[in-house]
Amino acid sequence: MPKTGVFHLDLSRPKAAWGIFMKWIKFMIKTITDAEDLIISTLYDIGLEGAQIEDKIPLTPLEKEQMFVDILPDGPKDDGIAYLSFFVEENDECPVDTEEMTAKIRRELDGLREFMDVGEGSIMVSETEDIDWINNWKQFFHQFYIDDLLVIPSWEEVKAEDRDKKILHIDPGTAFGTGMHETTQLCIRQLKKHITPETVLLDVGTGSGILAIISLMYGIKHVVGTDLDPCAMEAVRENMEANQIAPERFEMMIGNLITDKTVQDKVGYGKYDIVVANILADVLVPLTPVIVSQLKPGGVYITSGIIDDKEQTVRDAVEAAGFELLEVTYQGEWVSVTARKPE
């Protein structure tokens, strides 16, 4: 029986629920059930957050409860095959380059093949309109805690007992994260250990701006964010407004910090107390020697997005760049490496 995962779609603009038909690009991957979770987690980092999962694994009691059913007819025998479908909104502001996205997905699948079986790994691309679940999916995303921080979407009320807590207001989007992923939570915990009221932060691969915004909420001085995706500009702007972050505290840039000298110059050298990069290991390796120049002496480098099999690869890159390893932390299959630039 098909299972449906959480759909993280941006409802900040009117869509089908308001009588407007939207176009969506669907990327369907044929894989195996054992690889479902890891593929979904890996594809978060290339802008595919949320998945529709179709397989023949029987529903769990919790899944039945969420579907308001107790007894379901017997389904076909589990054959180990799974189909993962990701939906990306197609619009004039942020057009979808299907060839580029398909190539990114294929690269990620090829990377996973180095240490696990992902099955066939074929990718099918199609276009659809006015997906039925757009009007109903909010039931799957609810407020949650990251330690003492409450993360809440716009359609839920803050409970009376939570009004004195730190609260991050953020809605799921088509391309960027909400804080639910383990790698984001690892970074948040490391940031809280090292930030001060005088911290100037560089957030590489900013996405929704969640790490930068949380750091500002906890009282740091200033953030510069970089991302390859132009859509990050609007995502950051909306999330800053939702959390009442003054525009002058967060400067956002689009470009490749690894290869573009113009971006490196604009970001600046020797001016950051902390650099955080929640990016896949294969990107962290070439990024790390660049970051050395951006950090102040004694500055802290926080990384995540590292699947556990890639931990040593990132540790080697950090040490080769001259950093002092401070701490390695873990959550699920994911790793965060924190290091310091020598004084």
Side-chain angles (χ1 to χ4, degrees):
M1 169 166 291
K3 294 192 300 183
T4 302
V6 177
F7 293 92
H8 293 175
L9 299 175
D10 184 358
L11 298 180
S12 60
R13 296 186 298 277
K15 293 184 173 62
W18 290 266
I20 299 174
F21 289 88
M22 305 300 296
K23 290 186 177 181
W24 304 81
I25 305 299
K26 176 181 177 181
F27 297 89
M28 178 184 281
I29 301 166
K30 185 178 181 181
T31 181
I32 59 175
T33 53
D34 287 345
E36 287 175 2
D37 291 343
L38 196 53
I39 289 175
I40 292 169
S41 295
T42 301
L43 295 186
Y44 267 42
D45 294 283
I46 61 169
L48 295 176
E49 183 177 345
Q52 175 180 286
I53 304 171
E54 297 176 71
D55 58 29
K56 297 185 179 72
I57 297 176
L59 293 171
T60 66
L62 177 59
E63 288 167 336
K64 290 180 181 180
E65 181 183 333
Q66 290 173 337
M67 294 175 67
F68 305 102
V69 295
D70 294 316
I71 301 174
L72 287 170
D74 291 335
K77 185 177 179 181
D78 180 18
D79 58 4
I81 301 299
Y83 293 89
L84 308 179
S85 296
F86 300 85
F87 297 83
V88 180
E89 181 187 343
E90 175 85 296
N91 60 55
D92 293 336
E93 293 178 5
C94 297
V96 179
D97 187 329
T98 57
E99 291 187 5
E100 180 182 357
M101 182 59 74
T102 301
K104 287 182 179 179
I105 294 171
R106 188 166 289 114
R107 285 196 296 271
E108 299 305 326
L109 293 176
D110 288 344
L112 290 174
R113 287 185 198 276
E114 294 179 8
F115 58 89
M116 66 176 295
D117 182 12
V118 299
E120 182 177 306
S122 59
I123 306 165
M124 293 156 279
V125 183
S126 58
E127 184 178 285
T128 186
E129 291 186 353
D130 193 22
I131 300 169
D132 292 341
W133 40 256
I134 289 176
N135 297 333
N136 303 309
W137 77 278
K138 287 184 180 181
Q139 64 183 298
F140 296 108
F141 185 78
H142 300 292
Q143 56 188 281
F144 64 97
Y145 280 99
I146 305 173
D147 300 330
D148 63 334
L149 175 71
L150 174 64
V151 181
I152 187 168
S154 59
W155 54 86
E156 291 195 352
E157 295 287 334
V158 178
K159 299 172 185 175
E161 62 266 29
D162 290 330
R163 287 174 187 161
D164 60 343
K165 293 182 170 65
K166 292 283 187 189
I167 300 173
L168 176 70
H169 298 273
I170 192 165
D171 287 349
T174 57
F176 304 114
T178 59
M180 296 187 74
H181 196 268
E182 291 96 330
T183 62
T184 308
Q185 295 184 18
L186 285 166
C187 285
I188 291 168
R189 293 188 178 105
Q190 290 303 106
L191 283 164
K192 287 166 63 178
K193 290 179 184 178
H194 295 282
I195 59 177
T196 74
E198 296 303 312
T199 294
V200 177
L201 173 71
L202 174 61
D203 181 6
V204 183
T206 302
S208 64
I210 182 170
L211 295 177
I213 288 170
I214 289 172
S215 298
L216 290 166
M217 289 169 55
Y218 278 93
I220 72 167
K221 188 175 183 180
H222 188 74
V223 173
V224 172
T226 71
D227 203 283
L228 298 177
D229 190 343
C231 297
M233 296 289 287
E234 180 64 13
V236 167
R237 185 192 64 78
E238 291 178 356
N239 290 326
M240 286 174 62
E241 288 183 357
N243 292 281
Q244 300 180 327
I245 301 296
E248 62 271 15
R249 299 182 67 198
F250 192 160
E251 183 180 1
M252 187 67 198
M253 305 177 191
I254 300 299
N256 192 327
L257 186 63
I258 298 173
T259 60
D260 193 331
K261 182 66 163 55
T262 302
V263 176
Q264 294 172 8
D265 291 344
K266 189 175 180 183
V267 167
Y269 303 97
K271 60 184 288 187
Y272 297 97
D273 302 285
I274 299 175
V275 174
V276 62
N278 185 17
I279 308 175
L280 292 179
D282 289 344
V283 181
L284 289 171
V285 171
L287 174 68
T288 296
V290 175
I291 289 305
V292 177
S293 300
Q294 265 77 41
L295 273 168
K296 293 178 181 177
V300 174
Y301 181 38
I302 299 170
T303 70
S304 194
I306 308 161
I307 193 67
D308 50 14
D309 282 6
K310 294 282 189 177
E311 175 188 337
Q312 193 60 49
T313 300
V314 175
R315 291 177 67 150
D316 290 346
V318 165
E319 291 173 349
F323 285 101
E324 171 197 356
L325 189 65
L326 293 181
E327 187 176 12
V328 180
T329 54
Y330 306 88
Q331 188 171 339
E333 297 170 301
W334 298 95
V335 182
S336 173
V337 175
T338 301
R340 190 188 305 277
K341 179 179 176 178
E343 294 280 358

